[in-house]
Each structure stands twice: as C-alpha cells, then as structure tokens.
Amino acid sequence: MQTPKQLGGIDFGLMDPETYRDISATKVITADTYDDDGYPIDMGLMDPRLGVIDPGLECRTCGQHSGSCPGHFGHIELAAPVIHVGFTTLIRRLLRATCRECGRLTLTEMEMEEYREELDRAEDLGKDPDTVLKAAVRQARKAGSCPHCAEPQADIKHEKPTTYYEVQNVLSGEYSEIIAEAMQPDEDDEDDEGMSPQALSDETGIPLDRINQILGGEFRPRDDGRRALEKALDVDLTEEDMNKLMPSDIRDWFEQIPDSDIEVLGIDAEGSRPEWMIMTVLPVPPVTARPSITLDNGQRSEDDLTHKLVDIIRINQRFMENREAGAPQLIIEDLWELLQYHVTTFVDNEISGTPPARHRSGRPLKTLSQRLKGKEGRFRGSLSGKRVNFSARTVISPDPTLSLNEVGVPDRVASEMTITINVTDRTLEEAKQYVANGPETHPGANYVKRPDGRRLKVTEKNCEELATKIDAGWEVNRHLIDGDIVIFNRQPSLHRMSIMAHEVVVMPYKTFRLNTTVCPPYNADFDGDEMNMHALQTEESRAEARVLMRVQEQILSPRFGENIIGAIQDHISGTYLLTHDNPHFTETQALDLLRATQVDELPEPDGEDETGPYWTGRTVFSLLLPDGLDLEFDSSAGDTVIIEDGHHLQGTIDEDAVGAFGGEIVDTIVKQYSETRARVFINEVAALAMRAIMHFGFSIGIDDESIPPVADEQVDEAIDNAYGRIDELIETYRAGDLESLPGRTVDETLEMKIMQTLGKARDSAGEIAEDHFADDNPAVVMARSGARGSMLNLTQMAGCVGQQAVRGERINRGYEDRTLAHYEPNDLSAEAHGFVENSYRGGLTPREFFFHAMGGREGLVDTAVRTSKSGYLQRRLINALSELEVQYDGTVRDTSDRVVQFEFGEDGTSPVKVSSSEDFEVDVEGITDRVLDAEFDNDSEKEAFLTPSESPTNLSEHTDTALSSEVESDD
Ligand SMILES: [Mg+2]
Ligand SMILES: [Zn+2]
Ligand SMILES: [Zn+2]
C-alpha cells in the first residue's frame, strides 16, 4: 500500500534521451505486433513488458495482470535525429539568436545581463516573459557577425513545419555574364556607348587585368570588389544560397550553446537542453494507452497510435538498411524526410501544410495531440467535464397548467431515473410496493441493495418475489414520482438562474414541460430547445436544492435585483385587456376568468347594468393581490397604477406591473411578502391572463397593419419632402457650399445630414401610421403593453422600412463609385445608398430587397460572432474564478487561502435584498418600520426603545480582571 504524498511543485521541461532509455521497459525493434498464435512478439509494439491488456496475461515488468498494471514505456532508437514538431518556433528562435560557429548567443555580455534583469522583473511583476524573450531574439538576430567569435551570421528561413535553411547572399554563378551584359550599350539610347573595361577599372579601382580576368570568369571578385562592381554597373551580382540544415546539424549546433546563454532566452538549462528538442530516441507509449480492440469476428483492430508507431519503425529500419548498404545521399535524405513526417504526425496530425496521416478508409488518424486538444479532448472532454448518471435531456414544450415550481417529466424518463430510499420500518410498505410494481410499471423500482451490499436488478420476473424479501436495512432505487425535486438546466448557463430546482410532475409523452413564466431565466423558447434534468441522489442535496435552488427562490435576479420571473407575452396582453378599459363581467364570466386560481368567491358586485350585477376587470385582478399591498407607479401604457390595501383602483396592469424583468407588483410581493406568495401570484396572474385573453379573443392578421390610402399618401409626401431636402443638400455639397460640422469633413457632414433627414422621414412616416391605428389594434396593444414588438416594428410594417445600414453607415460598398450597376457613378441619393421607402406590407423593390439583405446579414453575422466570443469569454471566466469561495468568515478566498475580497462583492450586499425603487436606493425607513413592528407588541415599548437614554459610564464596572491587573502592575 502506497502512502499519499504531498506535491511541492511541478516543473515542466524537456526530457533527456538518456532518461527515455532509463524509463523504457524495452527497446522496440520490430513493427510486428502478434505472432501466428496471437501472442505478442518480443520487442514488438505489444511486448508484454510494455503492459498487458488481455485478461489472461501477466505483465513482464511489474508482474501484475491487466487492470492493475499501469503500463510501461518502451523506446525506439531513431536511425537519425528528427525535429519535435511541438518546438519548431523555439528551434527557429534559437537558430536565429545563436552563433552558427560557436553557439553563443549573439548578444554582448552587457546586453545579456540587461535581458536577464528584464526577465526577472517580468517574473516579479507577473508579466508575460515572452515579450522580453522576443525582444532578446530580435536584437540577437540583428547582429551581422558574432560578438564572441566574429563569424558572420546567416539568416534562418523556416519552412513549416520542420525544415530550416541558412540563407546567405553569395556571388552569383553567372557573375561574368551579368557584368558583360551591363557593360553593353543601351540599344534604345543612341548616345550610350556602353562602358569599356578601362572605364570600369577606373571607376572601381580594380586593376584592368583583374577586370579582364573577372570578365573571363577566371577570377571571382571578393566582397569589396563585388560591391564596387555592383555600384558602378547598378546590378545585383548575388544570389540567395539556401543551405538546408539537417536535424543532426541543428543538434550539433545546439549542443554548443552554453547553459548561461540560453537562460537569457528563458530556458532552464538544468531541466531542458535545447538539443533535446531534436529527438534521437522516441518513447513508445504503454500498451494500456493504446489498447487494441478485438472485433466480433475475432480480428484485432489496433489503436491509431500503434498504426503510427508501425510506420515509424518500418521507415526507421529501411533508413538503417539503406545507410548500411551505402545508398546515395538523395535516397537517404528522402527516407530521413519520411521518418520526420511519421514522427511529426505521431505527435500532431493536424499540422497546416502537412497532409494528415490517414487510415486505409481515408479517416485521418487520431494521434497524441488530437487526444488532448479541443472540446472532446482529454482536458475539456474527460477531465473538466464528463457525462453523468441520473441525468436526462429532451426537447421542452410549454404547459400553462403547471406551477412555475414544477417540471413535467416524461414517464419513460421518470422510470429510468431513480432515487434511493433507505428502507426502515416506516418506509417498508412503500418500498415493497415500488419493488412489486417492477421496473416497467410507473412508480416502480429498478434496483435494490441488500444489507450485505449486493445490488440486484429488479426485473418483471423477479419483482414479486423480491418485494417479499425487502426489509429494513435494504435500499430501493425507486422511480421518480410527483413532488421529487430535480435540477433543471438549459445551456448556455450564463447566470445563476440557468440551473434551478423543480418539482417533478410525471406526464405522458416525450418532452419536458415547463410553465412559460420560467422562460426568461433560462432564456428558453419552444422552437426545438432542449434542456437537461438531474435527479439528486442524496437527502442532503435534495434538501439543499429545495431550500436554495427552487425556482421560487430565484424570482429576484442577483444581476439587477428585480424579478426575472413574471408575466410574459400573452400574459401581459391578457392583463392589459382585463384592466386597461376596465371592462364589465357578469358573475359567470368573472368566475370563469378565475377558474384556474384559488379564488372561488366573488366580492360584492361593482354595480349593476342591463345584464344584471357586474364586476370590473380591476376588481377581478384585485382578487389575486395580497391584502395590505399599497403601490403607486407608472405603467408602460402611460397611466398611473394605484393599488391600495390590495385593491387595484386605477391604471393598466401591463409589463411594468407584472412582467418579468422588473414588474413592480411581483417585485414588491417577493420583497414584502414572501417567495411563496410571489410564486402563487405569478401562477395566478398567468392563469387569469390566459382566461382573459381567451375571453376577448386576440389575433393579428395582415390587415391589422394596413393604413388607409390617405395615410399612404401622407407617408409618400413625407418621404418626397425628405428626398427634396437631400437633393438640396447634395447640390450645396457639389457647389462646395456645404459647411462642415465641427470635427467632421464635408463628406462626413453630408452623410450625417442625409442620415438625419432620412431618419426624420421614417419617424414622421411612423407617426402618420400610428395616428391611423385604432387603440384596440392587437399589434398596438402588444406594443403599448410591452407584451411583444414595438411601435417601430409597426411603422416598418405599415409606413416605411427606412435606411439600411452596414457598419453604422449608409450602404456604400459594391462597385466602384456606386453600390449597384443600376445607378450612375457617384450618385449620392437616398435610393442609391440603401434607403427603403416602402413598407414590409407594401413590399420592397428588388433593389431595396438587396440592400435590406445586406443590412440583415450583418445582423446575423454579428450574432454568430457574439455568441462564440461570449462562449469563450465564459470559459475563461469560469476557469479563472472556479477556485474562489466565500468562507464562513465572509471573506472570498482562493484555494491557497489568499483573500481576494474581504467581503463578497466588496460591500457584502446582495442586490436582491436592496430596494429597487428609484427614489430610495435602500428603503431604510421601510425596513426599520417593519423590523420595529415585528419586534415590539405595543407603541410604548417601541417608544422606550427609540428614545435615547444616557448609559452609565463607570468604567470600572466594565474593566475585566486582566486589564485591571495590568493597570496595577504599572504602579
Ligand atoms: Mg430556441
Ligand atoms: Zn506492468
Ligand atoms: Zn560565435
């Protein structure tokens, strides 16, 4: 038995090839895996010293069987060194920053010291050391020759992924031809007589016989001579000489770099020597990391890593054979490149510019890097998050008959998901019944656990018999039943209310059902959204969920301190219809409205008309309000709502009263009454509103968005006026008389003025349209009450769609100087730059349609970009904040007990406990009044408490013994 160890720290670095050999259980030399009898071949890829996966076999390294043996690394001796793809950028940096001759960093000692200090400083300040390293490499690269050995330095070219060249400018092989050519007279210029060798000699200072030797190709001019010739003849006599650096060259180069120099580049020479980035030994992962699968037909299917290793060993062998046979250099280089390719793709098979290694089927192989990277990789897929038991996922659909605390769970989910009950004398009969029902009848059981720990599956066959055996001390995994608490979640989970606890209601069919009032916190709709459910497995978690996570506890959002659960959409249209004109209802009608609420008795009628006694809409609504509620606020419809002692006296109940996102009444009930009262209120408002909207009938059609021909003419006139004004603007601009606005160019000023004019035109079109809509127009009702849509939407449908914009400007892109081929170049008119004068109802012209599609597409792209960005931001935030925790002393600390905040949120205040009324940020008086009322039974006690009284200030009575003894000793 091993004892647990505490880790002091982890160092990351490169591994020494010697260490690879040390930890290796065996050298792997053959590409074959199993012999004809199906036994693993010695020194093959499945060598039993590398670990075992077949149940019968014993590991030859640790002696354990499959399951206990952790597996052991092997190694392959590479025939030639190859570059590790993971380090290509670092290799490039080192090649550029060090001397090709002596291996020293091409910086002076003083510069090195400077960078060392800067590196230390960056570390102290917690800055990214990479910026310092990059600067050091940049400076080292500038050195034309080595400051230590004076060797001229060549530039390094990196051809991805793993090829490096030294680039040097050398004398072109055709230097004599180039010079001779340049000395010829220019054919097009009669005055030009060319340059004689004598003249060239005079100009360059090179003796005439040397010039002749150069022209004859017998002498290669040195650097100085070359430069003089280039200057005199204005030619380039050099060509780039690309010298390929083989991995072995790079390895030799890196071996020379002194430890002290690479430290300047941020490499810890103790743990990582740069030459180790060029591999001479390849570790072979244990068999347990690449298990083979036996197919149904008895055939073995090997892991992708094994396939890759087979390739490497084959090429490695061919390389060695060819080299021993003295094969030509070209063949050796080809094989070397092939070996490099296989080792590269073994590490990472998704390198740009390199074709991925593929299976025979054409599927790219999943090699080392692919196992780790990305969403399904080891880190994000297997360690940070995993699939869990006792969870279910399906499509959601609405059910207004459920409470907002409930969730409808399909019966087939309820009988798959279980909750464990510990059988006691009190639960015995119940438990027996569940088991007797079996796994297929609904409130049944799937498993039982005997007191000795054996788990038995309940089947249709054994359930009756098993039920008789159940006794205290057993455990029964029963199906979910009505009233069980479960956790419900919709992704993306962007705030606390994305995961809430609901009570189960088992239902037929296959979808989860929820009350529509919980759509806002989940941001759910029913266009195919899916949600997850988790059945809680311990009594503690269920209790916690019920107290802390239940939907009704989440009515107030910690984001803005007001309710996020409340009436939405049709609920709001419903309450608007019920309360705006305060309609009359007969007794039957009133009771019908209230049928889905707990109210079963009507108050005294409000009056009598020709049909008999009547009740008004506001009276009906008042029945849902708690007694004693006093409120006054402005509704979104524009009137003032007055509620006194739970009676709704005046105003329209709409979004501002009962809506999600800060409906006053809901908000006040949660804060002044209780979550439970608020839950009842929201449920009943939703139910009442649904009855009300059904009572009146509510629908929209295309005719609801049409305006009379007179209005159409007015809209056309308004737009024509705007066009006229724009023409004037353009004329002034063309005449050069347009005055620019402060800080703007004339062009910008014109654009702004045109936009302004068109904006006004659209607004006035909207006003004209608005004037012609009746107050009971359903679209108007929805817009005014805040149920859905806006007057702008209506304007666009009935009046004029307006200016289309891309990047906040009129549409300017397209052809040269114009947006479409249909317009004259430089046409600045509204029409040519995406103003849509028609309404949606009237229909857009093809050109308008095209501009509209441009504007619309920008919107779609923006949304797509935003969601992916916010998703990534969320991931980073979660990772950064995951270890912060509020401790019992109220501080927020990280895992090493460092205080991040002394009080949560730096003020210790919960947004949901703070009054959201605009007049008082915190309703201090209201709170003290409520506290005092609750604390004292009568006014005289309260008075006594509130009247300040002088407290006795005799210190000696309060001085404790310790203090007094200290005082004495002072004497
Ligand atoms: Mg959706
Ligand atoms: Zn083993
Ligand atoms: Zn040097």
Side-chain angles (χ1 to χ4, degrees), residues 137 177 235 265 319 381 416 512 666 727 790 792 811 838 967:
V137 172
E177 285 87 344
V235 288
L265 295 176
F319 191 108
E416 192 70 44
F512 286 132
V666 181
D727 286 341
S790 61
L792 177 68
I811 288 165
N838 283 302
V967 172

Side-chain angles (χ1 to χ4, degrees), residues 59 62 69 72:
C59 171
C62 67
C69 165
H72 315 278

Side-chain angles (χ1 to χ4, degrees), residues 99 101-104 146 148-151 153:
C99 172
E101 184 60 34
C102 69
R104 299 283 318 261
C146 174
H148 308 283
C149 72
E151 170 81 10
Q153 300 298 308

